[in-house]
Amino acid sequence: MSFAHIGILCSGGDAPGMNCAIRAVVRTAIYNGIKVTGIKRGYAGLLRGEFQPMNLSSVGNIIQRGGTILQTSRCAEWQKKEFRAKAVDIMKHQGIEALIIIGGDGSFNGAKALWDEHRFPVVGIPGTIDNDISGTEYTIGFDTAVQTGIEAVDRIRDTAHSHARTFLVEVMGRNSSAIALKVGVCTGAENILLSHEKVNHQKLSDDIQRGMARGKDSSIIIVAEGPTAGRSYDIQHVLKDLFHLEAHVAILGHIQRGGSPSANDRFVASQMGNMAVQTLIDGHFPTVTVVRAGKVLMAPLSECITKSDHNFVEYQKLAETLSI
Ligand code: F6P
């Protein structure tokens, strides 16, 4: 299958490594004689016709930069069929014959609608710090976000120890606990509170007090953020009101979304960007580039449109055993 002109956009929350994927898409396309148009600010920018022609130097010196040079958005209008039809008209008018979407499961659902309703060729590249897309073991940005979380917790541990304090450190991930689990294991956290589990305050208090009884003077509790950020404050109040335990709250928030991508994110994003273009050339769509058994492959888009929580039980057990 030959395409003369493709579009690329980022959608949803940004993630470190998105720029590496954009670079790989643009360079692979140009290598194969395909023109590339960058679409600014995701589906919202597409609807407003925010286009940027991409050449070799538009993606120079971006491999190390966090965020996305194309910028991104969460687009409410995309839920409506008439706006998706409008987007297809806009792309056709621009000469764009296929679209590569870097984003999460919501963005992939938006891409699926383009294919289902208009047979518009789409390929997805998973980019979200949450690592919560079905059908792939890995999403671009997760490794960097975990590393940022680890560095933050290490710093908090210094001061927690000095002052003999308990800290509730809330990490991003919305309904996925992937970041919380990995940061928790890698920082030796005393407890990890998962997003889908009801907090057992009694157990939490018992754990903190057991630690104190054996001479620990500080505790780090990693809290997965859940549907809305800030639930650590509720836990803090319960610990104080019911158990007379003082805990400090640190919410890492968007600090985890920025920063220079790790080696792993750069490498996976480069492979995925390259494969996304190759996949279009080979005529395999609608598809998503995925990691399975550690290898970058492509999979049908329909396998990657829901949320998933990887390694849940396995990591949880590890964390519990090591924090005894
Ligand atoms: O999906 C990525 C993510 O960073 C989640 O971890 C977080 O809950 C959410 O985005 C925050 O979204 P926003 O930047 O739109 O507030």
Side-chain angles (χ1 to χ4, degrees):
M1 185 107 195
S2 73
F3 290 104
H5 184 177
I6 63 172
I8 178 169
L9 61 79
C10 294
S11 167
D14 63 348
M18 282 183 163
N19 283 329
C20 309
I22 296 169
R23 173 179 177 272
V25 165
V26 171
R27 296 259 164 109
T28 306
I30 293 173
Y31 179 89
N32 285 284
I34 301 169
K35 182 175 164 188
V36 190
T37 290
I39 299 162
K40 305 276 288 180
R41 282 178 274 277
Y43 293 126
L46 169 53
L47 289 168
R48 289 196 292 267
E50 294 183 34
F51 298 121
Q52 176 180 317
M54 305 297 277
N55 56 37
L56 291 176
S57 50
S58 359
V59 292
N61 199 19
I62 65 165
I63 200 164
Q64 76 285 13
R65 282 171 58 189
T68 155
I69 57 160
L70 291 177
Q71 301 181 280
T72 184
S73 65
R74 301 188 192 277
C75 177
E77 287 172 330
W78 200 257
Q79 304 301 325
K80 296 192 184 139
K81 217 172 168 175
E82 65 263 33
F83 285 102
R84 299 193 293 264
K86 182 178 165 197
V88 170
D89 285 346
I90 292 172
M91 283 193 284
K92 284 189 175 156
H93 185 253
Q94 192 70 16
I96 298 172
E97 301 159 331
L99 183 62
I100 294 178
I101 301 101
I102 309 175
D105 62 301
S107 312
F108 290 175
N109 274 289
K112 186 172 178 302
L114 281 184
W115 173 256
D116 291 348
E117 293 160 10
H118 304 278
R119 287 291 180 262
F120 198 87
V122 287
V123 174
I125 298 178
T128 162
I129 62 165
D130 299 344
N131 201 17
D132 63 346
I133 304 180
S134 60
T136 180
E137 288 159 16
Y138 193 75
T139 63
I140 297 166
F142 176 67
D143 187 57
T144 309
V146 166
Q147 188 57 38
T148 303
I150 290 170
E151 284 163 20
V153 174
D154 286 350
R155 281 164 203 223
I156 290 169
R157 217 181 242 295
D158 289 344
T159 175
H161 172 72
S162 304
H163 289 265
R165 283 174 173 164
T166 294
F167 269 85
L168 296 158
V169 184
E170 188 170 304
V171 298
M172 267 194 172
R174 199 164 278 164
N175 292 318
S176 156
S177 297
I179 295 178
L181 281 163
K182 201 150 185 189
V183 168
V185 170
C186 293
T187 55
E190 276 68 23
N191 282 88
I192 305 171
L193 305 181
L194 305 181
S195 55
H196 71 285
E197 281 182 352
K198 201 168 172 312
V199 180
N200 183 341
H201 296 95
Q202 179 68 60
K203 179 178 179 304
L204 185 57
S205 152
D206 290 349
D207 286 350
I208 295 169
Q209 307 216 36
R210 187 164 37 84
M212 286 171 173
R214 74 166 175 88
K216 269 194 187 185
D217 43 23
S218 64
S219 285
I220 299 287
I221 297 148
I222 304 292
V223 182
E225 74 177 352
T228 46
R231 73 184 185 119
S232 298
Y233 288 110
D234 300 333
I235 302 168
Q236 180 191 41
H237 289 136
V238 177
L239 286 178
K240 186 167 174 53
D241 296 347
L242 296 188
F243 304 99
H244 311 292
L245 286 172
E246 293 285 348
H248 283 63
V249 170
I251 298 181
L252 301 190
H254 288 84
I255 199 165
Q256 294 154 105
R257 283 243 298 262
S260 183
S262 68
N264 193 53
D265 280 324
R266 293 181 194 205
F267 196 62
V268 172
S270 299
Q271 290 180 89
M272 285 185 167
N274 173 263
M275 180 166 284
V277 175
Q278 198 54 53
T279 297
L280 278 174
I281 293 170
D282 294 344
H284 299 305
F285 45 80
T287 42
V288 172
T289 59
V290 296
V291 174
R292 291 189 183 170
K295 272 187 78 91
V296 174
L297 309 165
M298 56 148 197
L301 175 61
S302 55
E303 292 177 12
C304 306
I305 51 169
T306 53
K307 288 202 181 293
S308 80
D309 246 319
H310 304 296
N311 299 318
F312 232 99
V313 180
E314 203 179 310
Y315 286 4
Q316 201 174 3
K317 180 88 189 101
L318 175 66
E320 269 171 27
T321 308
L322 301 186
S323 64
I324 192 171

